[in-house]
Amino acid sequence: MNKSELVAALAQKAELSKKDAEKALSAFVDVVTETLKAGDKVQLVGFGTFEAKERPARSARNPRTGEAIEIEASKTAAFKVGKALKDSLN
């Protein structure tokens, strides 16, 4: 499902116009992004939790040349599935 299909499904499910559904989806993405940048997490009970995780610096090898390279520490977004969602999938 891509973004336009998600917007259409949200509009139908919530009985909104596609324009309003797209605004709501964009606002949700913006709020989650801003919250993760601030170092906080977004917890939706029964659905899951979005949080920023630290990746430590590490050494790796270039598969083409075999040369050792250093990968810098970074942050990444992570999603942990909630119990209700997990149970509904199984």
Side-chain angles (χ1 to χ4, degrees):
M1 177 180 279
N2 61 30
K3 184 177 178 180
S4 63
E5 292 169 339
L6 180 57
V7 167
L10 284 171
Q12 181 181 3
K13 189 81 166 179
E15 297 177 359
L16 297 171
S17 69
K18 285 186 181 180
K19 189 173 184 179
D20 288 341
E22 186 170 4
K23 282 182 185 177
L25 180 60
S26 294
F28 174 76
V29 170
D30 291 345
V31 169
V32 170
T33 302
E34 290 167 5
T35 303
L36 295 180
K37 281 183 180 179
D40 295 329
K41 62 183 179 179
V42 177
Q43 186 173 5
L44 302 171
V45 176
F47 183 71
T49 304
F50 296 93
E51 62 183 320
K53 296 232 177 176
E54 297 277 340
R55 284 186 170 169
R58 61 188 170 95
S59 297
R61 294 223 173 262
N62 180 333
R64 181 173 292 164
T65 64
E67 178 185 355
I69 58 173
E70 292 297 317
I71 300 174
E72 296 180 8
S74 63
K75 290 183 182 180
T76 188
F79 179 74
K80 183 177 177 187
V81 179
K83 183 173 178 4
L85 178 58
K86 187 176 182 180
D87 290 346
S88 71
L89 295 175
N90 293 316

